[in-house]
Structures are given as structure tokens and as C-alpha cells.
């Protein structure tokens, strides 16, 4: 039988595979893995990296004895060589990511920084404009704390936390609130302003600028990698499939 295999009583030909992958929503994952295999084909692991990778793989899959490993290989119809390839693959992918994008981290971080900075802020909302003004003056004059007023009068879920929200990316709140927070100083209290059906009182508590530390570097590399991968998958998905003849199955 050429270009086909049998699952139960069903014969699946090579021509049918793309439509089946789409039906089972596996095509993006399949393309992702094929694209990655192409990119890491020339990347090698040192003996030490291979040993660590295999140890990690065995631990993740609870292959704690030769018998357990043999049973696992048999269950998945794999050879020991294929297991080594599977164990090394994450290491090779990480090497590919670092070789390709680690030199672009600084510029990418700067382009993303406005969406990475975080804020902690306090919010009170009410549909009563007169009450909003009264509450604002009570806070501004020190008659009540922001938290007390929020717990007693804010009409949103923030009342449960005394109006305190965050830390969240500065771009996450409503655009009008984000804009206000981006020009605020910590502790700055803003008078009530309309927002949709609400009147809101806002105070910036903390501004937490994003730092390009090791954790952020890894995140930036991962983001660039995922962006590239989505583009590659989209390009491949848009291509017309090759039409090849498949031998008939009797």
C-alpha cells in the first residue's frame, strides 16, 4: 500500500491528510512543528546538552527504569534514536530562538515598552455626577480615605478592593483611563470625569516601568519567535496544496 495507512477499518490516503488535519483543527500545530523542524535541522547539541535533555525528558515522562522506557517506546512505536531526537528538540528550538532574536531584544523592547509598563491605580465610579463631586472633595480634603469612599460608594467590582486595581499594563484599562494614568504622578488625584455611563475618580498609586532584565529578555525573544512563527504559518497556509497522484489501495 503506497501513500496510505489504515486506522481501524478506515483507509487514509496522503491526499486526505490535509483536510483531516483541518477538520480536527490540527493543521496550525502540524505546520508549526514542520516549520520548526526545517529551521533546527542544522543545529546540533553538545554531548552534555544531550545528556541533560534526555534526563529531563525521562523525568517528565516518568521513564525511571529501562523497563519503563522500553514500554514507553513500544507504546508509541518509537526507536531509542527517535526518543533522543525528541529530547533534544526543545534545546535546539531554544538555540534557534537565541541565535535569531537575542540580538534584536533591545530595539524590540523599546518598541513595546509603552505596553509593558505597569501601573497600580485607584478607581471610583458612580452614575451620579453630584455624588462624584462630593466624593472627590471628601478625598481631596482628607475627610475620608480613597479606600473608604470606594468601598462605600463605588458601583463597580473595584469596591471590594477599596478601589485599588493592578498592577496592570498601562494600556489595559479603558483608553481614556490609560491616557490619564500615563501623564499622572504617583498620588495624583483626578477630579470626576465622564466615561460612558459613569463618572470616575482616578488616582495613580504606583508607576512600574518595565525593566530589561533577564526575565524580560526571555519574554521578548519568545514574543519575536511567536510573531515570526505565526507569519510563517500564515504564509504556508495561504499556498495552494501540491497535487500528486497516489497509488490506489485495494
Amino acid at each position: 500500500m503506497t501513500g496510505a495507512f489504515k486506522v481501524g477499518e478506515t483507509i487514509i490516503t496522503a491526499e486526505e491528510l490535509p483536510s483531516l488535519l483541518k477538520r480536527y483543527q490540527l493543521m496550525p500545530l502540524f505546520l508549526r512543528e514542520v516549520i520548526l523542524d526545517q529551521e533546527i535541522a542544522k543545529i546540533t547539541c553538545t554531548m552534555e546538552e544531550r545528556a541533560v535533555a534526555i534526563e529531563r525528558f525521562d523525568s517528565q515522562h516518568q521513564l525511571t527504569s529501562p523497563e519503563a522506557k522500553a514500554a514507553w517506546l513500544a507504546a508509541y512505536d518509537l526507536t531509542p534514536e527517535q526518543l533522543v531526537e525528541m529530547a533534544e528538540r526543545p534545546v535546539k528550538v531554544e538555540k534557534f530562538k537565541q541565535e535569531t532574536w537575542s540580538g534584536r531584544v533591545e530595539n524590540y523592547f523599546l518598541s513595546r515598552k509603552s505596553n509593558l509598563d505597569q501601573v497600580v491605580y485607584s478607581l471610583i465610579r458612580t452614575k451620579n455626577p453630584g455624588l462624584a463631586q462630593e466624593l472627590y472633595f471628601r478625598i481631596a480634603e482628607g475627610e475620608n480615605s480613597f479606600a473608604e469612599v470606594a468601598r462605600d460608594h463605588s458601583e463597580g467590582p473595584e469596591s471590594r478592593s477599596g478601589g485599588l486595581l493592578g498592577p496592570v499594563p498601562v494600556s489595559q484599562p479603558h483608553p481614556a483611563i490609560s491616557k490619564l494614568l500615563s501623564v499622572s504622578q504617583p498620588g495624583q488625584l483626578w477630579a470626576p470625569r465622564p466615561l460612558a455611563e459613569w463618572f470616575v475618580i482616578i488616582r495613580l498609586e504606583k508607576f512600574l516601568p518595565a525593566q530589561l532584565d533577564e526575565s524580560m529578555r526571555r519574554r521578548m525573544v519568545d514574543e519575536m519567535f511567536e510573531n515570526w512563527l505565526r507569519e510563517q504559518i500564515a504564509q504556508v497556509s495561504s499556498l495552494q496544496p501540491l497535487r500528486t497522484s497516489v497509488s490506489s489501495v485495494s
Side-chain angles (χ1 to χ4, degrees):
M1 172 182 314
T2 305
F5 61 96
K6 189 175 183 181
V7 180
E9 297 303 316
T10 303
I11 303 297
I12 301 174
T13 67
E15 284 187 339
E16 293 173 311
L17 277 176
S19 63
L20 288 175
L21 288 170
K22 291 177 181 178
R23 180 190 304 174
Y24 302 137
Q25 300 178 358
L26 295 173
M27 182 62 82
L29 178 60
F30 174 73
L31 293 177
R32 176 189 178 98
E33 301 309 321
V34 171
I35 290 167
L36 282 178
D37 277 344
Q38 293 173 351
E39 296 298 332
I40 67 174
K42 296 182 180 180
I43 296 177
T44 59
C45 291
T46 65
M47 292 183 64
E48 181 180 358
E49 289 171 336
R50 177 177 300 168
V52 171
I54 293 172
E55 182 179 352
R56 183 182 299 117
F57 187 91
D58 289 350
S59 176
Q60 288 173 344
H61 294 84
Q62 299 180 339
L63 307 181
T64 54
S65 68
E67 294 77 16
K69 182 172 290 189
W72 189 88
L73 290 171
Y76 290 97
D77 192 23
L78 295 171
T79 65
E81 292 74 22
Q82 288 172 318
L83 184 149
V84 172
E85 291 176 1
M86 293 171 66
E88 287 183 331
R89 197 168 188 271
V91 179
K92 292 182 177 181
V93 170
E94 188 60 32
K95 281 188 169 185
F96 167 64
K97 287 160 58 175
Q98 294 299 326
E99 290 173 4
T100 308
W101 289 284
S102 61
R104 311 179 196 177
V105 166
E106 286 78 7
N107 287 339
Y108 183 72
F109 172 75
L110 291 175
S111 73
R112 291 271 289 112
K113 190 174 184 304
S114 61
N115 292 315
L116 298 170
D117 293 335
Q118 295 189 314
V119 289
V120 177
Y121 69 103
S122 293
L123 170 72
I124 294 170
R125 62 179 126 183
T126 176
K127 294 180 179 179
N128 185 329
L131 177 61
Q133 285 292 339
E134 178 188 342
L135 298 177
Y136 166 73
F137 285 117
R138 283 163 60 179
I139 297 168
E141 294 171 6
E143 183 179 339
N144 296 104
S145 70
F146 200 112
E148 291 172 336
V149 172
R151 278 193 293 266
D152 293 340
H153 298 284
S154 193
E155 298 173 26
E158 67 283 342
S159 63
R160 295 193 292 269
S161 61
L164 194 64
L165 298 169
V168 296
V170 69
S171 58
Q172 180 173 308
H174 186 283
I177 295 178
S178 295
K179 184 176 181 180
L180 204 61
L181 293 171
S182 67
V183 297
S184 298
Q185 295 298 317
Q188 186 170 356
L189 179 69
W190 291 90
R193 59 197 58 228
L195 183 63
E197 73 271 30
W198 304 101
F199 286 85
V200 298
I201 304 168
I202 298 166
R203 184 174 70 191
L204 176 65
E205 305 297 344
K206 292 180 182 178
F207 179 74
L208 306 170
Q211 303 292 327
L212 190 55
D213 54 16
E214 228 15 76
S215 174
M216 182 63 73
R217 283 183 174 276
R218 288 194 296 271
R219 176 179 170 183
M220 296 295 95
V221 168
D222 286 343
E223 279 193 15
M224 286 187 283
F225 166 70
E226 292 296 337
N227 290 341
W228 169 83
L229 202 46
R230 280 193 294 271
E231 291 173 0
Q232 297 302 307
I233 292 171
Q235 289 176 15
V236 174
S237 299
S238 66
L239 298 177
Q240 292 297 319
L242 294 174
R243 299 296 180 184
T244 57
S245 60
V246 179
S247 300
S248 60
V249 179
S250 56

